[in-house]
Amino acid sequence: VEGAPMGLMHKRGYTYLKTIAGTVLAMAIIVTLQSVKPVFAGSDLSDVIRQDADIMRSVDQEEDSSNNRRCINFSDFQAGFSLDMLAGTQILWRTERWEDRAWDGKGPDTLGYPSVVRNIYGDGADYKYYLYYSHHGPSAGIGCAVSDCIEGPYRKLAEIDSTRLDSQVLRCGGKYGDAAHFSSPCVVWNEDVKAWYMYFHFLKNEWKEGKGHQKTALASCSNLRENSWKPFTDDSGNLKVVLPTTSERWMNSQSSYHAIQRLHNGLWSAFLRGTGGSFFDDRWVQDPCKLGFAFSKNAESWEYATTNPVIYQGDGRGGKSGVYRPKFVAYLGGVKYLVCWQESDSYDVNPVIVCGRTSDFKAFEKIRDGYSQLPVGDGMMCLWRIGTKLFVFSGRYVYVMRIFGR
């Protein structure tokens, strides 16, 4: 949720299905970010792909493993690297009723939040690419589309199997107008338990109980071809929160849209997006999002960094004053990692991509050039590397970038 949380109290003790002040503007910003069409100086995507057809269809177990852990390995570029945009194309369209936040085809199009993995593990391995996606709106669930090639085209599950009602693999339920929703999937392979893990956020207003409004849950699947996802639940059957809100202001309302990855040393990292706020004169006042980190040994039990938030407005870097969004974490070799985020002017205009190097996830050495062509948008950025090509999934698009050393 970007603006005021959907379905929250406008006055204490009352709940509205419509959003309160601030959300309409925020939703317009999200739609703009999700709807940005790529502009390229180079070829279109099909031309770029044809040039590297043999590479594109090869099976590089080590490279795929790094990609499936959501922590791309750039350690072969010891002197640093830059990214050059080659091409891009739209890969997601609204074709199913649940994908429209108004359910009538007239609502703002926020479809996106892509997370891509390659099914190379277990009995169900078919070496296809599975793209999980959602939208930002009432009753949203998590959908899936499949492709033989990383660049697509991606066919939704309901297109592949005509007996399916739709392409959702996790269904929030409810009826039109319900504020509850699932969104921002982040899928990663957990080698320790031989299963795929999907982190996703959900809306549940527990402000009065001190648990905020929006938090992150977890589901698992051992066979992607079957796509049978089982959410982690408590003894009462409720979704188990694995990345909760905090009592600290920076994330007391929303713990969502996180970028999860397994680091080169085996530790799990969550690049957190926290949103805080409070009621003032019976109206909700929301802070711009701030960023932090959490770490885990098993991908289920997480410990928040005591230094959170670590990247935020006024943190001494000279950054912008608006909304901050986590994008990705990548490996640079040794103990160094590349951390990428998006920041904007207040409240959420003129977004830019910012990257920094870190060895402790506390201090970040800003990288001033080389990554400016990375796309802006809502949600994390899903990367997939094949040789010197980097495929960047953001919003409804996949972009192809060339990696070149300095």
Side-chain angles (χ1 to χ4, degrees):
V1 176
E2 276 301 309
M6 292 191 300
L8 299 186
M9 298 173 288
H10 182 70
K11 293 186 177 181
R12 299 181 191 273
Y14 296 88
T15 301
Y16 290 82
L17 293 178
K18 293 185 178 180
T19 57
I20 62 174
T23 306
V24 174
L25 172 61
M27 282 307 307
I29 293 170
I30 292 176
V31 173
T32 300
L33 288 172
Q34 291 288 66
S35 302
V36 172
K37 294 184 178 181
V39 178
F40 309 104
S43 309
D44 66 25
L45 183 62
S46 58
D47 291 336
V48 174
I49 297 307
R50 280 194 293 270
Q51 294 169 9
D52 296 301
D54 293 336
I55 297 176
M56 292 299 307
R57 287 156 181 80
S58 67
V59 178
D60 188 322
Q61 190 77 16
E62 182 177 351
E63 201 166 59
D64 279 342
S65 179
S66 173
N67 291 328
N68 280 330
R69 292 195 302 268
R70 297 267 71 82
C71 189
I72 306 302
N73 187 353
F74 292 120
S75 62
D76 50 331
F77 291 94
Q78 290 296 316
F81 66 93
S82 296
L83 298 172
D84 183 32
M85 183 71 75
L86 298 178
T89 190
Q90 185 171 346
I91 53 172
L92 282 174
W93 292 264
R94 290 191 302 189
T95 59
E96 301 177 10
R97 189 176 182 227
W98 72 273
E99 297 168 347
D100 173 31
R101 65 185 309 268
W103 288 21
D104 60 4
K106 299 178 181 179
D109 189 351
T110 61
L111 196 68
Y113 306 98
S115 183
V116 179
V117 292
R118 192 177 193 187
N119 186 17
I120 62 173
Y121 304 112
D123 295 336
D126 56 12
Y127 293 89
K128 296 180 184 294
Y129 297 89
Y130 286 67
L131 184 154
Y132 294 89
Y133 67 95
S134 187
H135 69 88
H136 182 269
S139 304
I142 309 298
C144 180
V146 183
S147 176
D148 293 325
C149 306
I150 186 64
E151 75 276 12
Y154 284 86
R155 300 176 64 205
K156 296 177 182 178
L157 296 185
E159 180 183 354
I160 297 171
D161 180 1
S162 61
T163 65
R164 293 184 63 98
L165 176 65
D166 55 42
S167 300
Q168 292 183 90
V169 296
L170 280 182
R171 196 179 303 274
C172 178
K175 58 183 179 180
Y176 170 64
D178 288 347
H181 61 275
F182 295 166
S183 193
S184 65
C186 180
V187 181
V188 60
W189 172 251
N190 187 342
E191 177 65 26
D192 297 339
V193 297
K194 299 293 188 292
W196 299 94
Y197 273 17
M198 179 195 292
Y199 298 86
F200 62 98
H201 82 250
F202 68 101
L203 176 66
K204 186 177 183 181
N205 187 353
E206 296 179 303
W207 178 260
K208 286 186 176 181
E209 294 81 3
K211 298 179 181 179
H213 306 113
Q214 201 160 259
K215 30 264 183 177
T216 296
L218 176 63
S220 66
C221 176
S222 59
N223 188 323
L224 274 197
R225 191 159 53 184
E226 295 179 356
N227 247 318
S228 179
W229 290 88
K230 297 180 180 179
F232 285 51
T233 58
D234 60 22
D235 294 337
S236 300
N238 299 312
L239 285 176
K240 183 178 179 180
V241 177
V242 293
L243 289 164
T245 57
T246 67
S247 59
E248 292 84 9
R249 172 73 179 241
W250 81 281
M251 198 163 71
N252 68 351
S253 172
Q254 300 156 44
S255 170
S256 49
Y257 302 96
H258 307 319
I260 316 292
Q261 51 277 317
R262 192 166 199 178
L263 304 179
H264 186 73
N265 61 9
L267 195 66
W268 292 84
S269 167
F271 193 8
L272 304 172
R273 171 173 156 182
T275 305
S278 64
F279 282 95
F280 181 76
D281 288 340
D282 292 329
R283 296 181 69 86
W284 176 256
V285 179
Q286 182 161 293
D287 306 332
C289 306
K290 298 175 173 62
L291 308 181
F293 285 93
F295 301 95
S296 174
K297 294 181 179 179
N298 61 11
E300 299 174 18
S301 301
W302 293 84
E303 183 175 341
Y304 287 3
T306 57
T307 52
N308 284 339
V310 295
I311 302 172
Y312 57 96
Q313 310 79 5
D315 61 5
R317 296 176 303 100
K320 290 177 175 283
S321 60
V323 171
Y324 282 42
R325 291 178 169 88
K327 289 301 176 180
F328 65 83
V329 174
Y331 182 55
L332 294 177
V335 295
K336 291 188 176 182
Y337 289 87
L338 174 68
V339 176
C340 178
W341 67 92
Q342 178 179 308
E343 55 188 61
S344 65
D345 295 326
S346 186
Y347 176 79
D348 196 9
V349 296
N350 301 321
V352 297
I353 296 295
V354 182
C355 293
R357 298 184 189 91
T358 186
S359 57
D360 59 8
F361 295 94
K362 298 176 183 178
F364 304 88
E365 175 192 357
K366 187 175 181 180
I367 303 174
R368 300 192 179 277
D369 54 28
Y371 309 106
S372 61
Q373 295 187 51
L374 284 167
V376 298
D378 196 27
M380 70 171 192
M381 197 180 292
C382 181
L383 307 184
W384 196 273
R385 180 183 174 185
I386 300 179
T388 58
K389 293 292 191 300
L390 186 67
F391 295 81
V392 181
F393 292 81
S394 180
R396 298 185 298 278
Y397 297 89
V398 58
Y399 306 82
V400 186
M401 307 189 80
R402 180 172 65 93
I403 312 166
F404 58 96
R406 296 176 180 173

